[in-house]
Amino acid sequence: MKDTKEYKPSPSVAPHPLKRLGQHFLTDQNIVKRIVTALSPRSDETVIEIGPGTGALTHQLVGSVGRLIAVEFDRNLAPVLEQRYGANSNFTLVRADALEVDFCSLLDQTAKARVIANLPYNVSTAILQRLISHRRCLSEMVLMLQKEVVQRMVALPGGKERGYLSVLVEAYCETEALFDVSPGAFRPPPKVWSTVVRVKFKELSEPGGDEILFIATVSAGFAQKRKTILNNLRNATGALQEVLKRNGGASIVLCKAEVELQRRAETLTLAEWDRIVRAMK
């Protein structure tokens, strides 16, 4: 049954945010409602909430979706969430680190879930990358991230914010920045602004036809942003270096892909990354 009371955690049930976990608890109810409205939860779907914290979003979601799976790492917060929402038959609490969870294993084999999260700043990029790696069982996400992270996510080729994350997100996602959130919406207030972003996974997208090779190539390409793509690929290690050698080396691969050797990684388009990877297959 949906709890229609406004969520106001009392000090007795709201543990103090832990700095080591990058916790900033969302307390502004107007922002909570805007985030939930952006998700537009449905009664027939499964939603995964990452880092529910004290339950600001959880409180709005538990009575609105078919199944709510909350992933919480903080051992102090988990009992609070279990006590408050455990009686709801559609609520499942997973006490685990989101960087280690197999999200697809939480779902039925044929099911796809949507994700909602206020991600801790210190691990937000790593969690986002993990979610992308689980896109086979996820369809859409509404995430609150540090504003600078969202700027990197949507950065276009040639921009100073363009980096590995930009290319990864462009390759597998359609991204829309929805609205900014001021530090005052949190307890304690962070030193930076946040942005709520909608991320939809592309149905068919496999740049270069090889995900592992694509990710390794882009990662190596941005290893040192001041260096050219040629120098960065020449300095690649491990399996990627072996693949490059089998194809005549970095300069031959780039020539085959019709990419100028002195270009820097941030200037390359997704299509050019695709050509580089395909030139090694």
Side-chain angles (χ1 to χ4, degrees):
M1 181 180 296
K2 185 175 182 178
D3 186 346
T4 57
K5 295 180 181 179
E6 183 177 349
Y7 176 64
K8 293 182 178 180
S10 67
S12 62
V13 295
H16 189 75
L18 297 178
K19 186 176 181 180
R20 65 180 176 82
L21 295 181
Q23 291 176 337
H24 297 276
F25 296 148
L26 181 62
T27 57
D28 187 319
Q29 289 302 303
N30 289 326
I31 298 299
V32 169
K33 291 174 182 177
R34 289 184 71 182
I35 294 172
V36 173
T37 298
L39 183 72
S40 188
R42 304 188 302 267
S43 60
D44 62 345
E45 71 172 330
T46 296
V47 171
I48 298 173
E49 182 184 5
I50 299 174
T54 58
L57 293 172
T58 313
H59 194 77
Q60 301 294 325
L61 293 167
V62 72
S64 303
V65 300
R67 185 185 180 199
L68 178 62
I69 302 172
V71 180
E72 179 55 61
F73 178 63
D74 189 337
R75 66 181 66 184
N76 295 319
L77 289 173
V80 175
L81 294 162
E82 189 66 61
Q83 181 181 21
R84 187 173 180 88
Y85 304 109
N88 294 274
S89 60
N90 68 333
F91 178 78
T92 301
L93 179 64
V94 178
R95 304 187 186 199
D97 186 345
L99 290 172
E100 298 178 356
V101 171
D102 182 343
F103 294 101
C104 296
S105 70
L106 303 176
L107 308 171
D108 297 333
Q109 289 186 352
T110 59
K112 280 199 172 187
R114 293 196 293 162
V115 174
I116 190 168
N118 169 24
L119 294 179
Y121 289 159
N122 58 346
V123 291
S124 61
T125 300
I127 293 177
L128 177 58
Q129 291 180 59
R130 185 164 184 83
L131 288 167
I132 291 174
S133 73
H134 285 77
R135 65 190 180 278
R136 67 186 182 279
C137 63
L138 305 174
S139 60
E140 180 183 355
M141 305 186 292
V142 173
L143 308 174
M144 183 150 58
L145 300 154
Q146 185 175 340
K147 186 174 181 178
E148 287 76 7
V149 172
V150 175
Q151 290 173 339
R152 293 203 302 271
M153 289 170 62
V154 301
L156 299 175
K160 64 179 182 178
E161 299 295 336
R162 181 78 166 181
Y164 167 75
L165 183 64
S166 316
V167 179
L168 182 68
V169 170
E170 183 183 0
Y172 299 112
C173 313
E174 296 176 354
T175 307
E176 177 188 7
L178 300 178
F179 56 90
D180 295 334
V181 181
S182 73
F186 303 89
R187 179 179 67 88
K191 295 180 180 180
V192 297
W193 280 63
S194 302
T195 298
V196 175
V197 62
R198 186 192 313 281
V199 179
K200 293 184 178 181
F201 291 108
K202 297 178 181 178
E203 287 294 328
L204 297 174
S205 179
E206 196 57 75
D210 187 322
E211 178 179 351
I212 294 176
L213 184 57
F214 171 75
I215 290 176
T217 303
V218 177
S219 179
F222 282 99
Q224 296 187 56
K225 289 192 70 172
R226 292 186 177 183
K227 289 192 174 183
T228 65
I229 184 66
L230 173 61
N231 285 335
N232 276 331
L233 290 184
R234 277 177 172 172
N235 292 328
T237 60
L240 177 58
Q241 183 59 252
E242 294 303 315
V243 174
L244 286 164
K245 286 181 179 179
R246 288 202 304 269
N247 285 275
S251 60
I252 298 299
V253 167
L254 291 171
C255 289
K256 185 177 177 182
E258 299 181 348
V259 173
E260 294 178 12
L261 306 185
Q262 300 307 310
R263 296 269 299 279
R264 288 181 174 163
E266 65 266 25
T267 70
L268 300 183
T269 65
L270 180 60
E272 288 173 319
W273 286 110
D274 177 88
R275 295 205 303 267
I276 293 171
V277 175
R278 293 186 185 279
M280 291 186 282
K281 295 187 66 181

